[in-house]
Amino acid sequence: MIVEFHDEDGKSAHNDFQDWRREHESGFFIHVRSENDQMLHRVSCSHAGNTQWQPEDHEDWGSLTKSRKICSTDIRELQDRIEEGGGIIILKICGDCAPLQKL
């Protein structure tokens, strides 16, 4: 099941995203910078910090859900979501957490 988190959807988006990450350690998420700039990560990727990370601890960064996060435990669901979106979407693959390796 795909779940999305974004600050525009409510104040609790950051905390809800962090809760989801803790509950789905083997999951994946797409960090949506823009419609045509998106990156696939593992939940454990260091780019999103640890699951205890709070905006007030990192004032320069703010909320992790300033940019939309599209999450799932099934990477194929995320790939299907991208394909269903129509248009051309540039989905980058994080080189640090290598989400497509060892599947």
Side-chain angles (χ1 to χ4, degrees):
M1 181 167 103
I2 290 180
V3 179
E4 293 190 31
F5 303 97
H6 192 228
D7 286 353
E8 290 180 5
D9 298 332
K11 289 185 195 179
S12 66
H14 172 91
N15 290 331
D16 293 344
F17 175 60
Q18 290 290 64
D19 289 344
W20 188 90
R21 289 177 66 206
R22 281 190 289 276
E23 294 168 11
H24 302 90
E25 294 176 357
S26 61
F28 304 90
F29 69 91
I30 297 173
H31 176 125
V32 180
R33 290 184 188 193
S34 72
E35 189 68 29
N36 295 316
D37 184 5
Q38 304 181 22
M39 184 175 285
L40 177 66
H41 297 273
R42 290 182 182 274
V43 161
S44 59
C45 185
S46 63
H47 289 166
N50 66 41
T51 59
Q52 302 306 315
W53 193 93
Q54 292 299 314
E56 56 271 9
D57 297 335
H58 304 282
E59 292 177 18
D60 294 342
W61 289 89
S63 170
L64 289 175
T65 51
K66 270 192 298 192
S67 298
R68 185 170 301 282
K69 303 297 188 283
I70 304 171
C71 309
S72 180
T73 56
D74 184 347
I75 198 166
R76 285 165 283 172
E77 264 189 332
L78 292 174
Q79 291 170 326
D80 290 346
R81 173 71 172 267
I82 294 297
E83 291 171 10
E84 288 172 8
I88 298 171
I89 295 176
I90 299 168
L91 180 64
K92 298 174 185 171
I93 308 301
C94 180
D96 292 335
C97 67
L100 298 179
Q101 292 180 0
K102 302 177 190 171
L103 288 179

